[in-house]
Amino acid sequence: MPSIQAWVSEDLATLGDLGYEGEADTITVPIKKPQGGKLTEDQKAHNRDHSRKRGPGERGNSLLKMTFKALRIVSVNPWDIGDITRAALVLLHIEYGRTT
């Protein structure tokens, strides 16, 4: 499996969750609370901003998965799921009368 570096565009900010903690030099991830410690106010602000930016994408992902059962458990080639997801997104846009 290629590293995450191969998927990240240098021109676009890429946001990840704590599952990508080891890739913090490649993508932007939230700051993990130290064991037995606390986050500083600046670190908390970073995490809030990070969550606000990721929120719309997470909600969109949830809507797609809840609407289209086929997207809940993906058993096809990961590169092929993009085509299926794009088709599902078009159907959602048509259903809700949205053009963006």
Side-chain angles (χ1 to χ4, degrees):
M1 182 166 183
S3 73
I4 195 159
Q5 186 85 21
W7 298 336
V8 175
S9 169
E10 301 215 2
D11 299 335
L12 299 172
T14 304
L15 303 175
D17 58 24
L18 282 174
Y20 294 98
E21 185 180 11
E23 298 288 342
D25 56 334
T26 307
I27 64 176
T28 305
V29 295
I31 299 169
K32 189 175 182 178
K33 186 179 94 169
Q35 188 174 2
K38 293 185 178 182
L39 294 176
T40 67
E41 289 304 315
D42 286 342
Q43 291 171 325
K44 289 178 185 178
H46 168 83
N47 285 352
R48 274 193 304 274
D49 290 343
H50 188 270
S51 293
R52 283 186 190 122
K53 291 174 186 172
R54 278 182 50 92
E58 292 292 333
R59 285 189 295 279
N61 188 39
S62 175
L63 178 61
L64 284 167
K65 285 183 173 184
M66 295 309 296
T67 306
F68 299 97
K69 187 176 180 180
L71 296 175
R72 292 182 200 164
I73 299 175
V74 178
S75 59
V76 298
N77 180 333
W79 296 108
D80 293 338
I81 196 64
D83 293 334
I84 296 168
T85 304
R86 280 188 286 281
L89 187 58
V90 167
L91 292 173
L92 279 178
H93 280 239
I94 292 168
E95 182 177 338
Y96 289 102
R98 299 196 53 187
T99 57
T100 59

